[in-house]
Amino acid sequence: MAGAEHPEGPGSPAPAARPPARRGGMAGGIIQKMDKGPLGHIVAVGSGKGGVGKSSATALLAAELRRRGATVGILDADITGPSIPKLFGLTGPLSDHGEGIEPASTPSGIRVVSSQFLVEDERTPVIWRGPLVTRLILQFFQGVNWGPLDYLLIDMPPGTSDVPLTVFQTIPIDGMVFVLTPQDLARLIVTKAMNMARDLHVPLLGLVENMSYLSCPHCGKSIDLFGPSQAAKVSTEYDIPILARLPLDPAISAACDAGTVDALVLPDVARYADGLLEAIRAHEKDRPALL
Amino acid sequence: MAGAEHPEGPGSPAPAARPPARRGGMAGGIIQKMDKGPLGHIVAVGSGKGGVGKSSATALLAAELRRRGATVGILDADITGPSIPKLFGLTGPLSDHGEGIEPASTPSGIRVVSSQFLVEDERTPVIWRGPLVTRLILQFFQGVNWGPLDYLLIDMPPGTSDVPLTVFQTIPIDGMVFVLTPQDLARLIVTKAMNMARDLHVPLLGLVENMSYLSCPHCGKSIDLFGPSQAAKVSTEYDIPILARLPLDPAISAACDAGTVDALVLPDVARYADGLLEAIRAHEKDRPALL
């Protein structure tokens, strides 16, 4: 992408202090969104709340789109709690041959950039305050040779602080998918994130309810772990579709821990991808100016 | 506590810009920890990762300590994703009669301060960058009339960015409890948080494994949802005790959603409190300088 303009590699742990002048960013106090470049669709996946399965929902979606022949990248924006590399069994470091950062690649060819690749020991924390985190996000967007991609997915961290503010204000995302669980607490916190996105004019593409159901592997009966679903209520209130309901499935947990999410094929995920593509099309039709 | 020194109430959404000069904080570029004042023990509960049950582990512990007759407060440091008020069914606003912020109180008398009390609609996000979040944390510690407390628990947000940095550098915490789940991904991210705490000289008090086991409510058999436990491995590696293993229990989820955590009595939680008190005693004995 804009690698040639920003040749700083991952060698320096703190991203370059130079502002992203040529491709947008802050200019005279006015925040401009950066150019989309050769990226077809940019979709953020978030929740506000941690641990609801944002990263697995991102990874499963990427794998499904890739299986359908699309070129796909994942920008892991959870700088201080990165999960994406683990889900695909990827390790760093990233390479840079003087023309920008080369993303890592999963077995199926999904391109991935994550702060996890910047540390030698996977257990080393990235202890950075907001401004540094923000700069790394921008470098991950504009300093990486993403190449032409049909879809760039952004795995968002929990919270409504620096990272979502920066992503919403400076990266030209087409919209955001929100992940929640049936817990009422997750509903509460995802609505905070949805209100933030709406305030910042980011289209809400749809909901994914994760840990939606669980079947006992012994007796086959359904277990109501987290109370009744809240997705229908949120869907109606915000007038956005439910893209998928994903199960709490030991097979998904096992694939996440083994780094083999790439190879996981689930009918629920196929429906999720269908729903997302439909939502993107609907937004393109309704609001051409935003896309 | 230091209410009289910091009479700013919650009326101004952005906390006072005045540095916490009299009770520590930054002075001449050197970070000083604030005074403990009338607080017996200050314990942070965190994980690095979201959604592993930090807040419920904090709330259940507070309720158990309160049942034993202790005076207990909870500082909800998850400013952009607050969960504690919902778990106890508390709503704002906080009051301030000119002598500092009065915490809210649960039915059993646990004193609580949270950013949730600063917004009128519970779904309103707190969209703040790091510096503002940091100031609110300091105000929640020093500008609140905590009164004499046996235990102040700090519910930490996910990540290793502004909030944990500020808490570790400026609040005189006795130590931290780390919550994880059996997922290997949770192990990875909790070790980042543990390394951060160790780097910043915060005693690691112990581990709580949440969502540790699940019994099918239909057939009673045990379900291995998240793979084999990682707690023993982490416990050995870091030489800290496993304080408790808490189940993934629909009754806990229901109490969290209903705001009745205060009234939940579980044998696992009693063991958790016992373990924590023992860990605090061991640290007091071993490292008197730190306490």
Side-chain angles (χ1 to χ4, degrees):
Chain A
M1 189 164 168
E5 296 170 33
H6 291 272
E8 306 85 8
S12 62
R18 184 148 53 91
R22 270 180 287 181
R23 300 194 67 238
M26 293 285 291
I30 295 165
I31 295 168
Q32 285 184 295
K33 289 207 180 179
M34 293 182 282
D35 295 338
K36 237 174 156 180
L39 305 176
H41 295 288
I42 306 176
V43 175
V45 182
S47 159
K49 190 165 178 350
V52 297
K54 280 179 302 296
S55 299
S56 53
T58 307
L60 288 166
L61 177 65
E64 175 65 22
L65 293 170
R66 183 78 193 108
R67 257 193 302 278
R68 296 180 182 193
T71 48
V72 184
I74 301 177
L75 191 166
D76 183 357
D78 196 350
I79 303 299
T80 68
S83 301
I84 293 291
K86 172 91 184 156
L87 302 184
F88 289 108
L90 294 173
T91 53
L94 298 169
S95 63
D96 177 13
H97 306 296
E99 295 184 338
I101 300 166
E102 278 302 315
S105 188
T106 71
S108 78
I110 299 164
R111 317 195 86 194
V112 176
V113 167
S114 170
S115 69
Q116 187 67 62
F117 300 144
L118 305 181
V119 293
E120 277 190 24
D121 179 337
E122 64 169 7
R123 297 165 304 176
T124 303
V126 171
I127 307 174
W128 286 357
R129 289 197 181 267
L132 272 186
V133 169
T134 292
R135 280 190 211 155
L136 186 61
I137 295 283
L138 297 178
Q139 195 183 25
F140 276 179
F141 182 69
Q142 66 186 2
V144 167
N145 295 326
W146 287 112
L149 285 183
D150 296 316
Y151 300 96
L152 178 67
L153 307 182
I154 303 181
D155 185 28
M156 302 288 281
T160 54
S161 189
D162 294 273
V163 172
L165 256 174
T166 296
V167 169
F168 293 167
Q169 290 177 332
T170 61
I171 296 182
I173 57 179
D174 294 312
M176 184 152 164
V177 171
F178 293 86
V179 184
L180 75 173
T181 70
Q183 269 200 290
D184 197 41
L185 180 61
R187 176 200 57 77
L188 170 61
I189 297 186
V190 82
T191 54
K192 288 176 187 278
M194 291 169 71
N195 287 337
M196 178 186 188
R198 209 153 61 171
D199 285 355
L200 291 163
H201 310 293
V202 171
L204 315 183
L205 294 174
L207 296 173
V208 173
E209 186 174 75
N210 200 12
M211 310 186 195
S212 193
Y213 59 95
L214 167 69
S215 304
C216 174
H218 307 296
C219 70
K221 286 190 183 159
S222 174
I223 303 174
D224 190 16
L225 262 187
F226 295 116
S229 171
Q230 306 285 332
K233 191 175 161 186
V234 179
S235 164
T236 305
E237 198 178 333
Y238 286 81
D239 190 24
I240 58 170
I242 299 170
L243 304 178
R245 293 180 197 268
L246 303 178
L248 184 55
D249 179 347
I252 298 180
S253 296
C256 289
D257 276 357
T260 57
V261 165
D262 226 4
L264 205 62
V265 181
L266 298 166
D268 289 303
V269 175
R271 280 191 289 272
Y272 168 23
D274 289 340
L276 176 69
L277 298 184
E278 199 175 309
I280 290 175
R281 275 192 298 271
H283 275 274
E284 273 174 336
K285 200 177 147 208
D286 290 354
R287 319 187 203 183
L290 285 168
L291 296 160
Chain B
M1 193 166 165
E5 296 170 34
H6 290 270
E8 306 84 8
S12 60
R18 184 148 54 91
R22 270 179 288 181
R23 300 195 66 235
M26 294 284 291
I30 297 165
I31 295 168
Q32 286 185 296
K33 290 207 180 181
M34 293 182 280
D35 295 339
K36 237 172 154 180
L39 305 175
H41 295 288
I42 305 176
V43 175
V45 181
S47 159
K49 190 164 180 348
V52 297
K54 281 179 302 296
S55 299
S56 53
T58 307
L60 288 166
L61 177 64
E64 175 65 22
L65 293 170
R66 184 78 193 109
R67 257 193 302 278
R68 296 179 183 195
T71 49
V72 184
I74 300 177
L75 190 166
D76 183 356
D78 196 349
I79 302 299
T80 68
S83 301
I84 294 290
K86 173 91 183 155
L87 302 185
F88 289 108
L90 294 173
T91 53
L94 297 168
S95 63
D96 176 13
H97 305 296
E99 296 184 336
I101 300 167
E102 278 303 314
S105 189
T106 71
S108 77
I110 299 164
R111 317 195 86 194
V112 175
V113 167
S114 170
S115 70
Q116 187 67 62
F117 301 143
L118 304 181
V119 293
E120 276 191 24
D121 180 337
E122 63 169 7
R123 295 164 306 177
T124 303
V126 170
I127 307 175
W128 286 357
R129 290 197 181 267
L132 272 186
V133 169
T134 292
R135 279 189 211 155
L136 187 60
I137 295 283
L138 297 178
Q139 196 184 24
F140 276 179
F141 182 69
Q142 66 186 0
V144 168
N145 295 326
W146 287 111
L149 284 183
D150 296 316
Y151 300 96
L152 178 67
L153 306 182
I154 303 181
D155 185 27
M156 302 288 281
T160 54
S161 190
D162 293 275
V163 172
L165 257 175
T166 298
V167 169
F168 292 168
Q169 289 177 332
T170 60
I171 296 182
I173 57 179
D174 293 313
M176 183 151 164
V177 171
F178 293 86
V179 184
L180 75 173
T181 70
Q183 269 200 290
D184 197 41
L185 180 60
R187 175 200 57 78
L188 170 61
I189 297 185
V190 82
T191 54
K192 287 176 189 278
M194 290 169 71
N195 286 336
M196 177 185 188
R198 209 153 60 171
D199 285 355
L200 292 162
H201 310 294
V202 171
L204 315 182
L205 294 174
L207 297 173
V208 173
E209 187 174 75
N210 200 12
M211 310 186 196
S212 192
Y213 59 95
L214 167 68
S215 304
C216 173
H218 307 297
C219 70
K221 286 190 181 156
S222 176
I223 302 173
D224 190 17
L225 262 186
F226 295 117
S229 171
Q230 306 286 332
K233 193 174 159 185
V234 179
S235 164
T236 305
E237 199 178 334
Y238 286 80
D239 190 23
I240 57 170
I242 299 170
L243 305 178
R245 294 181 197 270
L246 304 178
L248 184 56
D249 180 345
I252 298 179
S253 295
C256 288
D257 276 357
T260 56
V261 166
D262 225 5
L264 205 61
V265 181
L266 297 167
D268 289 302
V269 175
R271 280 191 288 273
Y272 168 24
D274 289 339
L276 176 69
L277 299 184
E278 199 176 309
I280 290 175
R281 274 193 298 271
H283 275 274
E284 274 174 335
K285 200 177 148 206
D286 291 352
R287 319 187 203 181
L290 285 168
L291 295 160

